[in-house]
Amino acid sequence: MGNRSIFKLEELIRDDFEEYLGGIRDFSNCAACLDAYNPVCLQWSEELGTGFVSHIKLRDGLTLSIGSALFHEPVQIHFDSWHVPLTFSYGISGSVHYTIELENGAASHWCAEPGQSAVACFREFKGRVDYPANTLAKNLSIYVDPLLLHTLIDLKTENFPRSICDVASGSHAVEYQKNFATSPAMNMAIHQILNCPYQEPLQRLYLEGYTLVLLTHTLARLSPSGKTVQKTATVRPQDVERVKYARELIRNNLQNPPTLLELARTVGLHHSKLNAGFREMYGTTIFDYLRQTRLLMAKSLLDDGRMNVSEAAFAVGYASPSHFVKSFKNAYGTSPGAYLRTVSRKW
């Protein structure tokens, strides 16, 4: 395990949140532990680094959670006896690995990183979360009472995965998880949530509106007409690491990325097999992954105030600032200049 620090979740949260933690272990108790108007913010222990997890109850059965962590060393956090029937999760920055251990002994994995999303529903589970060192990890989650979802939308098996329909109908015997790439429309909604321009009493109304928009775009991705239809696995076990290596090469060479043929030759796969495997594992094409990763990195540079729009564009590999402006606006619904002015007011 090396220098990795291992903790139970309760050891990392200040004592005054112990009662709150007891409440959110069972989603059905959220109404009791989340005040109708005041968000609950959990602070990570200062000995490990900085960060928080903020929970905002938008209405009965609908909770928005935003987390941020920057630890001095790798941290592994264990938790047990959690029950959250329906969770929608979105990676924003960093790379956080979740391992879920189910009642039947099976394990489920998800890596929360930029451009990756997941939906899951488990009856009872325990597991662990692995955080890297010196890397800002941000994520956004939506916790939904299945019965609320059932009242918001008419879920039919011909339009959505059967497991989602069964959970929304009140079944407690369903366990489901699906990982997929975050779409541009989902990115726009996430951007609006993270950059809410209002304070209370309008803040909650604004956040609820865009949270429902994000749920809508996510459910659209899960429908048969979307891009997350279940398919028979085609990536051979021995090729999984090659596809992962291809993704790392893209992430590490944004300014001068390899062509598809160069990438395939480097990882030792035929280009068509690499492209198909990449789409199966990450829910998007290699080209779209490159574009999305560039935009996420540029957005992070603007967030930190380290660069202006042109500098951020060149830093992530855009030769044309005008092309960058167009791509950024398509992804986030606002120009990079307008976005930079918005975040600069927060510095």
Side-chain angles (χ1 to χ4, degrees):
M1 193 64 68
N3 295 323
R4 185 182 305 274
S5 296
I6 302 176
F7 298 90
K8 288 188 176 181
L9 179 59
E10 292 84 347
E11 298 171 345
L12 301 179
I13 304 297
R14 297 204 311 258
D15 292 340
D16 50 330
F17 291 114
E18 184 174 353
E19 182 178 351
Y20 168 79
L21 279 174
I24 63 171
R25 290 187 184 286
D26 188 333
F27 188 86
S28 62
N29 292 332
C30 273
C33 65
L34 286 175
D35 185 273
Y37 298 100
N38 297 317
V40 175
C41 189
L42 313 179
Q43 300 289 337
W44 294 115
S45 171
E46 294 180 358
E47 67 183 86
L48 294 177
T50 60
F52 64 89
V53 180
S54 180
H55 295 273
I56 306 169
K57 179 185 174 184
L58 302 174
R59 66 161 78 175
D60 287 343
L62 182 64
T63 299
L64 174 67
S65 175
I66 300 172
S68 175
L70 179 59
F71 294 137
H72 305 313
E73 59 186 32
V75 171
Q76 186 177 97
I77 302 172
H78 290 249
F79 55 88
D80 53 29
S81 300
W82 283 66
H83 175 58
V84 182
L86 196 52
T87 305
F88 298 83
S89 300
Y90 311 88
I92 299 172
S93 70
S95 182
V96 181
H97 292 265
Y98 292 81
T99 301
I100 306 298
E101 301 171 14
L102 305 178
E103 285 183 307
N104 61 8
S108 178
H109 302 273
W110 182 55
C111 182
E113 60 183 12
Q116 293 295 303
S117 301
V119 57
C121 48
F122 301 118
R123 297 189 307 276
E124 189 84 13
F125 64 91
K126 60 181 180 179
R128 69 177 188 270
V129 186
D130 288 281
Y131 287 88
N134 303 314
T135 301
L136 180 61
K138 291 183 179 180
N139 63 81
L140 183 150
S141 297
I142 304 170
Y143 303 118
V144 185
D145 187 320
L147 296 180
L148 172 63
L149 187 63
H150 187 67
T151 65
L152 293 174
I153 184 172
D154 182 17
L155 292 172
K156 298 180 179 178
T157 54
E158 62 265 27
N159 297 324
F160 300 97
R162 175 175 292 277
S163 297
I164 293 290
C165 299
D166 290 344
V167 170
S169 299
S171 173
H172 298 289
V174 177
E175 293 183 337
Y176 173 81
Q177 180 182 1
K178 181 65 181 178
N179 307 330
F180 49 94
T182 308
S183 70
M186 292 161 63
N187 268 328
M188 286 187 192
I190 292 171
H191 167 73
Q192 297 294 341
I193 291 171
L194 296 178
N195 295 277
C196 175
Y198 298 107
Q199 301 295 323
E200 289 295 357
L202 295 178
Q203 182 186 62
R204 191 170 305 273
L205 181 63
Y206 179 95
L207 291 176
E208 180 178 343
Y210 276 104
T211 296
L212 292 176
V213 168
L214 179 54
L215 281 177
T216 301
H217 292 312
T218 304
L219 289 171
R221 294 281 280 149
L222 296 172
S223 70
S225 59
K227 298 182 179 180
T228 60
V229 181
Q230 296 282 0
K231 297 181 179 179
T232 302
T234 58
V235 183
R236 299 180 303 173
Q238 60 266 37
D239 292 338
V240 169
E241 291 304 318
R242 291 188 174 98
V243 176
K244 289 182 178 179
Y245 181 40
R247 184 184 62 161
E248 289 305 308
L249 289 173
I250 295 171
R251 292 174 64 88
N252 295 332
N253 295 277
L254 295 180
Q255 286 189 320
N256 187 28
T259 66
L260 175 59
L261 292 178
E262 291 171 339
L263 196 62
R265 186 164 52 249
T266 301
V267 302
L269 284 176
H270 189 274
H271 65 87
S272 61
K273 182 174 290 187
L274 173 61
N275 216 14
F278 200 96
R279 180 187 286 274
E280 180 178 321
M281 289 178 59
Y282 300 113
T284 188
T285 65
I286 290 175
F287 176 78
D288 282 343
Y289 181 81
L290 170 62
R291 177 184 55 79
Q292 190 172 66
T293 304
R294 279 175 163 171
L295 290 172
L296 287 165
M297 178 60 71
K299 181 172 175 287
S300 177
L301 294 173
L302 296 176
D303 283 337
D304 295 342
R306 289 177 283 175
M307 297 182 180
N308 60 34
V309 172
S310 295
E311 290 170 337
F314 291 129
V316 299
Y318 279 92
S320 167
S322 61
H323 184 205
F324 169 66
V325 170
K326 181 178 180 180
S327 297
F328 192 97
K329 190 169 185 177
N330 286 339
Y332 298 111
T334 186
S335 70
Y339 178 75
L340 182 59
R341 288 191 292 273
T342 298
V343 298
S344 65
R345 290 195 290 267
K346 301 178 182 179
W347 299 336

